[in-house]
Amino acid sequence: MKWYELRAEDVKEKVNTDFKHGLSKDQVSERLAQFGYNELQEAEKPNMFLLFLEQFKDFMVLVLLAATLVSGLLGEYIDATAIIAIVIINGFLGFFQERKAEKSLEALKELSAPQVMVLRDSNWIKVSSKELVVGDVVKFSSGDRISADVRLIQTNSLEIEESALTGESLPVQKKVEPIMGDKVGIGDQENMAFMGTMVTRGSGVGVVVGTGMKTAMGQIADLLQSAETMVTPLQRKLEQLGKILITVALLLTFLVVLLGVIQGHDLYSMFLAGVSLAVAAIPEGLPAIVTVALSLGVQRMIKNNAIVRKLPAVETLGCASVICSDKTGTMTQNKMTVTHLWSGGKTWNVTGTGYNPVGGFFAGNQEIHPSNVKSIGQLLTFGLLCNNATINKKKKEYVLDGDPTEGALVVSAWKADITRDLLNNQFIIEKEFPFDSSRKMMSVIVRDSNGKRFVVTKGAPDVLIKNSESILWDEKQQFLSDRLKGEVEKAIENLGGQALRTIAVAFKPLGPTQSVYNEIEAETNLIFIGLQGMIDPPRDEVKQAVQECKEAGIRTVMITGDHIVTATAIARQLGILPEGGKVVQGTELSDMTVEELEEIVEDVYVFARVSPEHKLKIVKALQKNGHIVAMTGDGVNDAPAIKASDIGIAMGITGTDVAKEASSLVLLDDNFATIKAAIKEGRNIYENIRKFIRYLLASNVGEILVMLFAMLLALPLPLVPIQILWVNLVTDGLPAMALGLDQAEGDVMRRAPRNPREGVFARGLAWKIISRGFLIGGVTLAAFMIVYYRDPNNLMYAQTIAFATLVMAQLIHVFDCRSDRSVYHRNPFENKYLVFAVLSSILLMLVVIYYPPLQPIFHTTAITLRDWLLILGLSAVPTFLLAGSLLTKKKA
Ligand code: ATP
C-alpha cells in the first residue's frame, strides 16, 4: 500500500477510523484479535525440556552419572539410586534458578516498553505500544520513539531521525501533503513516520497504517534479532574464575584419589569418592546464583521505583562517586505556582496554592484586579496564549495535563479570569515554535479577531532580555536602555534569590502577510512585557538523601537549565552547595575546554543555565578525574551524556523514549532519593554476592581439605560419596541462596564507593575463604580422628561424626559471612531466610542421621548426646576463633 500517495481523508476511509474521536474500545479489541499485537516476532525460545537437560551437560556430572551406573550394575543399588536422585534434584534446582532469573529479566523488558499517546473513544490516553492497531490516531513529540508505521495528518516543526531504517543520521523534516511517484523510498516518504525511528524535534499527529511485522521495520526485523544478552562484568569475571577453580578442584581431587590408592584404598571406591568430591567442590552453580541475586536485587529496586534496564548497572551503581542530577522535578516537586509578577519596575504578589485557580493579586497590601493594569493583563494573557498545558477539574481536584511550568501560567491567568476558552474566541494560533532546552524559549504566531498578527514568546528571562529591543514601562513601549535592562536583571536576581523560577513574556507585532520562517526570525527584536516568578518546592526527602550520599563518599552535583540565582538558592537549601563551593554557568562552560573544566570541576557543585550539550562535557571532565559518574536526563539532547556516563539515569514520568533507551536506570518517580536508594541496593547486591561466594568457596575448600588430609595421614575415607553430595545439595545450596537475600550492613552507606577495578576477592576475601576453609576442613578431620581412634572398628560412626561436624561448621560459618568484619557485628536472626535455611539444613541432617530407613542410604548411624558436644564445640571453632583474633586486631 502506498500510503504516502493518499490524502489524509482517503487514509481515514481505508483504515476506517475517525480523526476526531479515534477508534472505539470494541474496534480496538476486534482488530487486536484479528491482526495481533504490535510486536516484532522474536526468535523462538528453546524448549523447556532441553533447558532442563542443559543442567546435566557438565562434564563431571556426566562422569558421576556414568560411575553411578557402573556401581548400580555392580549391585550397589541403594548408593546408585540415591546419587542419581541427588543429581536430579540438583538439576531441578539449577533449572528453576535459571528460569527465575530469565523470567525477571523478561519482566524488566516489559516494564521498560514504550508508551504511546493514542486517541480512543474521544480521549487521549497512554497505552503500551504493543496495543496499537491499524486506524489508531496517535500523537508524539520530541524524544518519542515511533511505535508503528504512521501516516501523518498534522505536523508542527516535526523532524524525525530515521537512521534505524535508512542509515541516514540527519533528521528528516516531515509534512502531511501526499507525495506522488512510483518509487518513493522510505527516506523520501516525508508524510510517514516509521516504527523504530525517533522524533528529534517538534510534534505530530498521525494514523497508524501498519503494525508488528507489517511495518517497514518488520520487513527487516530478521536483521534485528541478535538480542544482546546482558552479562555483568562480575559475571564475566566469575566465568573466567570458574575455569581456574574447576582446574584446581580437579587437580586436588585427583590428588586425593591418587593418595587414596597409594594408601591402599580400593580403586573403585576412591574413584566414586573422587568424582563426588569433584561434583561437590566445583562451584558450577555460582553463575546461576549470581544471576538470581542480581535479578532479585533488581526486583527490590523496582519496588523502590528504580528500573534497571542494563544489568551491569547494578554493579556499577555501587561504584558511583558523583551523581549529576537535574533539579526540576528530580530534586524539586515540579509543582509550580506563580507567586510573583513583575512588570515595568513593579512587583505584584499572587496568592493561592497549587493548581487551584483561586487567589488574588496584591500590590503591597492592596488587592488589585489585573484587568485594571494593562501590562499585567498582557503578561497573564500572553503567558496563557504561548502555552500547551491544560488544567482540568477532576473530582474536586485541579489536575495538570502538560508541563508544570506552563501549568503555573495557566493558573495565574485563571486567577485573573483569563481562561483558554475566552482566548479561543479572540485568537487563532497560526504556528508554534516548540520549547527546547537549548533555546530556552517557546513562541507562537497569533492572529486576533481584528486580523492583527503578532509573535508571543515566553522563556528564560536572561535570554529574552537579550532578544528584546524595547520594554513595556509605565504602560508605554520604551527603548530597552542599559538602565532599564539593569532594572530587569535586578528583578530576576531578586525573584531568583527567593528560589523562584522565572519566566519572561515578550511579543512583537507582525504585518498582515509577513512570513516567519524560523524561530530566530520570530524570537528577535521583541518587546519585553514582564516576569512571572513561580515556586517549585524542594522534595522533602532530597535533603537527607544528599546528606546520606555525602556520608557514602558520593558527591551530588546539580545540573539545571534554570537561572543561576534560583539554582544557587535551591542548592543551598538542599545542602548541595557547601561554603566555598563553585557555581558555573552554561556560558562559561561553552568557553571552556574539557581540560580546563577538569581542573575546576572538583569544586563545582552547581551548573546553572546549561544546555543538554554541556552535560557531555561535564561527564567527560569528571570521568577524566577518575570518577564513576551517574547522570540524569530526560530529553532527546540528554541522550549522549546519559550514554557516556557510567550510570545513565532517565526519568520515568517526564523522560522521553530516547533518554530512556540510552539509560541503564529509569526512575519511575523521577525522584533524586530513588537514586540514593538504588545505589544503596547496588552496593548491597554486590556485597551479598561476595558473601555467598565466600561461603560457597570456603565450604568447598573445607570439603576438599578434609579428604586430602585424611589421605595424607593414611586414614580411611572420612566421608562417603553420598554424604559429600548431600552436603553440596543441602548445606551449600540453601544458605547460599539466603545470603543473596541478606539485608545491607548498617554502614553500607558510610563507606567510600567501591573501586571499580577491584577484584572479586579484594578486601581480604581470598584470605577469609582459605583460612576458614582450612579450619572447617581441620575441625572436621579432628572430629573424625578423635572418634575413629576411640573405636577404629566403627568407621561408620566416625564418618557420621565427620559428616555432622562438616555440616555444623558450615552452618555456623554462614553467619560469619554476613559481615566483612566478624560474626559479632550482626544480629544473626535478622535474615529470616537464612535462619530458615539453616534450620531446615539442620533438620534434614538430623533426619538423615536418625531416621532408620535413610541410615543405610547415607551410611549414617545415630550419634550420642555426648558426641554432639564434641561436634558443636569443634564446629564453632572456625567462626569464633578467627572472629576473636580479628577483634583483638581491630582493637589494637
Ligand atoms: P532541569 O534541567 O533541572 O530540569 P529546567 O527544567 O529548569 O531544569 P529547562 O527545562 O531546560 O531546565 O528550562 C530552562 C529554562 O527555560 C527555565 O529556567 C525557564 O526559564 C525556561 N522554560 C522552561 N520551560 C519552559 C516552557 N515550557 N516555555 C518557555 N520557557 C520555559
Side-chain angles (χ1 to χ4, degrees):
M1 193 76 202
K2 293 174 179 167
W3 297 104
Y4 54 87
E5 275 189 352
L6 304 181
R7 291 176 317 132
E9 283 305 304
D10 301 331
V11 176
K12 188 171 95 179
E13 303 263 300
K14 276 244 153 35
V15 298
N16 185 19
T17 186
D18 185 317
F19 291 164
K20 232 179 160 171
H21 305 291
L23 295 178
S24 70
K25 217 170 155 196
D26 293 342
Q27 278 176 310
V28 172
S29 17
E30 237 169 64
R31 290 178 196 201
L32 272 182
Q34 195 176 348
F35 301 108
Y37 282 115
N38 175 32
E39 286 173 323
L40 296 178
Q41 269 157 27
E42 288 199 17
E44 272 194 36
K45 296 219 170 78
N47 130 340
M48 301 267 265
F49 183 64
L50 287 180
L51 280 180
F52 176 64
L53 283 189
E54 288 256 310
Q55 300 296 324
F56 303 98
K57 70 169 198 239
D58 188 70
F59 177 68
M60 283 321 291
V61 173
L62 289 178
V63 175
L64 178 66
L65 285 176
T68 316
L69 208 68
V70 174
S71 73
L73 290 177
L74 292 177
E76 304 270 352
Y77 302 122
I78 300 181
D79 269 9
T81 322
I83 291 179
I84 287 178
I86 285 196
V87 169
I88 290 180
I89 296 176
N90 223 349
F92 265 111
L93 277 186
F95 173 69
F96 285 123
Q97 274 170 4
E98 276 181 24
R99 287 283 308 157
K100 190 164 171 61
E102 228 170 73
K103 278 237 176 87
S104 45
L105 290 182
E106 272 170 28
L108 266 188
K109 249 206 256 158
E110 279 282 298
L111 264 176
S112 47
Q115 303 259 311
V116 193
M117 282 300 279
V118 53
L119 184 64
R120 299 246 175 106
D121 290 313
S122 315
N123 289 320
W124 284 105
I125 54 169
K126 249 188 190 169
V127 302
S128 161
S129 63
K130 74 174 195 189
E131 284 163 38
L132 283 185
V133 295
V134 168
D136 262 329
V137 179
V138 290
K139 71 175 170 188
F140 31 79
S141 55
S142 166
D144 286 348
R145 168 97 42 203
I146 306 281
S147 310
D149 282 2
V150 174
R151 171 66 167 86
L152 298 166
I153 54 178
Q154 202 183 309
T155 59
N156 199 345
S157 312
L158 179 66
E159 285 181 15
I160 298 186
E161 198 252 288
E162 299 180 331
S163 61
L165 279 177
T166 60
E168 172 59 57
S169 61
L170 274 187
V172 181
Q173 278 208 8
K174 293 291 177 178
K175 57 180 194 180
V176 294
E177 293 77 22
I179 298 167
M180 289 305 159
D182 236 4
K183 276 204 174 132
V184 182
I186 290 208
D188 296 324
Q189 298 181 19
E190 290 159 356
N191 52 19
M192 294 283 295
F194 297 101
M195 177 197 256
T197 61
M198 65 187 198
V199 184
T200 51
R201 192 160 175 266
S203 57
V205 178
V207 52
V208 173
V209 293
T211 59
M213 294 305 280
K214 295 212 176 64
T215 55
M217 185 62 87
Q219 322 255 297
I220 56 163
D222 297 345
L223 302 175
L224 302 171
Q225 301 231 328
S226 55
E228 55 176 306
T229 43
M230 298 203 281
V231 187
T232 75
L234 179 66
Q235 281 174 310
R236 213 171 298 130
K237 258 186 243 163
L238 281 181
E239 238 162 65
Q240 293 160 0
L241 177 80
K243 288 188 191 128
I244 300 173
L245 289 180
I246 289 175
T247 320
V248 174
L250 281 179
L251 278 177
L252 289 175
T253 312
F254 180 71
L255 201 60
V256 170
V257 176
L258 191 71
L259 284 171
V261 175
I262 293 173
Q263 306 283 11
H265 291 283
D266 77 287
L267 184 65
Y268 168 70
S269 60
M270 274 323 291
F271 175 66
L272 201 56
V275 177
S276 306
L277 190 59
V279 169
I282 292 172
E284 77 287 341
L286 211 51
I289 306 189
V290 171
T291 314
V292 172
L294 284 171
S295 63
L296 287 177
V298 164
Q299 280 165 17
R300 281 198 299 274
M301 287 198 197
I302 294 177
K303 282 202 195 110
N304 287 323
N305 285 323
I307 293 190
V308 175
R309 292 189 66 256
K310 294 173 188 150
L311 211 46
V314 179
E315 279 166 37
T316 328
L317 269 171
C319 307
S321 57
V322 178
I323 307 173
C324 296
S325 170
D326 286 342
K327 169 182 73 72
T328 311
T330 314
M331 296 183 167
T332 63
Q333 298 179 9
N334 213 2
K335 286 194 187 120
M336 316 244 183
T337 317
V338 173
T339 56
H340 290 71
L341 300 178
W342 179 94
S343 182
K346 300 192 188 78
T347 309
W348 281 265
N349 293 318
V350 187
T351 58
T353 50
Y355 296 124
N356 191 346
V358 180
F361 297 81
F362 291 83
N365 288 332
Q366 193 188 356
E367 181 159 16
I368 45 136
H369 197 277
S371 57
N372 298 330
V373 189
K374 193 171 153 219
S375 55
I376 291 295
Q378 262 181 339
L379 180 62
L380 295 170
T381 306
F382 287 172
L384 179 59
L385 263 181
C386 180
N387 192 319
N388 287 314
T390 49
I391 303 277
N392 298 304
K393 191 169 181 184
K394 282 186 191 152
K395 291 190 196 150
K396 288 191 187 160
E397 262 198 53
Y398 290 87
V399 184
L400 163 75
D401 179 11
D403 174 32
T405 305
E406 298 192 342
L409 303 179
V410 175
V411 175
S412 64
W414 198 342
K415 285 175 182 166
D417 304 317
I418 305 167
T419 60
R420 187 154 281 135
D421 285 345
L422 197 76
L423 297 190
N424 283 347
N425 291 330
Q426 297 172 22
F427 300 97
I428 291 175
I429 309 271
E430 289 183 353
K431 197 175 172 98
E432 177 188 324
F433 297 105
F435 172 76
D436 81 58
S437 311
S438 302
R439 250 165 63 242
K440 300 187 170 51
M441 290 185 280
M442 160 182 177
S443 302
V444 287
I445 296 177
V446 183
R447 185 154 46 88
D448 71 10
S449 42
N450 301 323
K452 276 197 200 146
R453 297 170 71 234
F454 43 92
V455 176
V456 177
T457 303
K458 74 172 197 315
D462 38 328
V463 182
L464 246 69
I465 196 86
K466 282 198 197 103
N467 293 14
S468 299
E469 58 176 21
S470 44
I471 182 167
L472 288 187
W473 199 274
D474 294 332
E475 305 299 317
K476 283 195 301 278
Q477 183 179 336
Q478 298 199 12
F479 172 68
L480 184 60
S481 62
D482 284 346
R483 182 183 71 82
L484 293 184
K485 224 180 236 173
E487 292 290 326
V488 178
E489 276 158 10
K490 243 199 279 171
I492 299 173
E493 294 234 343
N494 179 24
L495 295 178
Q498 301 170 50
L500 298 179
R501 176 184 178 86
T502 43
I503 292 281
V505 179
F507 79 110
K508 81 173 164 194
L510 289 176
T513 54
Q514 186 181 346
S515 314
V516 179
Y517 291 106
N518 54 35
E519 57 270 303
I520 301 179
E521 264 178 54
E523 292 163 350
T524 41
N525 303 333
L526 297 165
I527 305 164
F528 197 91
I529 303 176
L531 304 170
Q532 301 206 30
M534 48 189 86
I535 48 161
D536 177 15
R539 287 175 182 266
D540 297 335
E541 59 281 34
V542 171
K543 190 169 180 183
Q544 188 181 348
V546 169
Q547 179 59 29
E548 279 177 45
C549 285
K550 202 188 264 174
E551 283 168 14
I554 306 163
R555 190 157 67 95
T556 307
V557 175
M558 177 191 278
I559 302 186
T560 176
D562 220 332
H563 194 273
I564 180 165
V565 184
T566 314
T568 307
I570 294 195
R572 285 232 190 278
Q573 279 179 15
L574 291 174
I576 292 172
L577 184 62
E579 281 307 316
K582 278 204 181 87
V583 181
V584 167
Q585 294 212 63
T587 42
E588 301 170 61
L589 267 180
S590 302
D591 297 337
M592 262 183 230
T593 61
V594 173
E595 288 71 29
E596 281 166 338
L597 181 57
E598 243 178 272
E599 303 224 329
I600 59 156
V601 77
E602 294 304 319
D603 299 321
V604 184
Y605 290 81
V606 178
F607 290 93
R609 272 290 184 255
V610 294
S611 298
E613 297 75 45
H614 293 131
K615 286 186 171 178
L616 189 59
K617 220 181 207 177
I618 300 172
V619 169
K620 281 190 177 152
L622 285 166
Q623 282 176 333
K624 282 218 172 131
N625 280 350
H627 284 291
I628 300 294
V629 186
M631 168 66 88
T632 70
D634 46 18
V636 194
N637 302 335
D638 290 334
I642 292 182
K643 235 183 230 164
S645 68
D646 301 278
I647 306 151
I649 304 174
M651 299 301 145
I653 304 171
T654 56
T656 56
D657 294 342
V658 177
K660 286 181 196 165
E661 280 168 33
S663 71
S664 39
L665 192 75
V666 175
L667 307 180
L668 286 181
D669 56 359
D670 290 14
N671 189 344
F672 178 82
T674 304
I675 305 178
K676 181 220 71 189
I679 288 182
K680 182 172 178 189
E681 194 60 69
R683 287 186 173 194
N684 188 35
I685 292 174
Y686 191 85
E687 287 310 312
N688 282 355
I689 291 176
R690 273 170 54 97
K691 287 174 196 170
F692 64 67
I693 289 178
R694 171 178 165 191
Y695 173 68
L696 276 181
L697 294 189
S699 299
N700 290 352
V701 170
E703 287 154 25
I704 292 187
L705 288 186
V706 70
M707 299 291 273
L708 188 64
F709 288 154
M711 294 304 102
L712 278 174
L713 297 175
L715 291 166
L717 281 177
L719 296 162
V720 296
I722 187 81
Q723 291 168 346
I724 299 175
L725 291 172
W726 188 94
V727 169
N728 182 42
L729 177 71
V730 181
T731 325
D732 291 357
L734 286 178
M737 292 294 290
L739 277 179
L741 293 167
D742 207 21
Q743 292 84 351
E745 254 191 289
D747 65 347
V748 70
M749 285 301 268
R750 262 173 270 134
R751 305 176 193 162
R754 193 178 82 241
N755 180 347
R757 276 187 292 276
E758 91 169 28
V760 189
F761 295 122
R763 287 178 276 142
L765 200 72
W767 163 245
K768 279 185 184 137
I769 289 171
I770 293 173
S771 60
R772 301 322 193 254
F774 254 87
L775 282 174
I776 290 173
V779 294
T780 306
L781 193 69
F784 175 73
M785 285 166 69
I786 293 172
V787 178
Y788 176 68
Y789 285 125
R790 205 171 64 198
D791 181 6
N793 292 325
N794 196 350
L795 177 59
M796 192 189 269
Y797 189 73
Q799 283 172 329
T800 311
I801 294 276
F803 171 64
T805 312
L806 179 66
V807 170
M808 288 313 297
Q810 292 189 0
L811 292 181
I812 294 174
H813 173 238
V814 74
F815 290 100
D816 192 23
C817 296
R818 294 185 62 225
S819 168
D820 248 358
R821 286 168 294 173
S822 84
V823 70
Y824 300 114
H825 277 91
R826 303 205 66 180
N827 170 3
F829 302 109
E830 196 180 12
N831 182 346
K832 303 258 172 336
Y833 304 103
L834 187 62
V835 173
F836 175 78
V838 167
L839 287 181
S840 357
S841 295
I842 292 179
L843 192 73
L844 286 171
M845 174 192 68
L846 292 178
V847 170
V848 163
I849 293 177
Y850 288 100
Y851 184 52
L854 289 181
Q855 287 176 334
I857 299 179
F858 286 92
H859 299 261
T860 50
T861 163
I863 297 173
T864 64
L865 201 58
R866 197 191 57 172
D867 284 334
W868 271 113
L869 292 180
L870 172 79
I871 292 170
L872 290 178
L874 279 173
S875 52
V877 165
T879 299
F880 292 100
L881 185 75
L882 278 198
S885 71
L886 272 187
L887 265 190
T888 40
K889 221 187 273 169
K890 259 232 149 67
K891 272 183 207 143

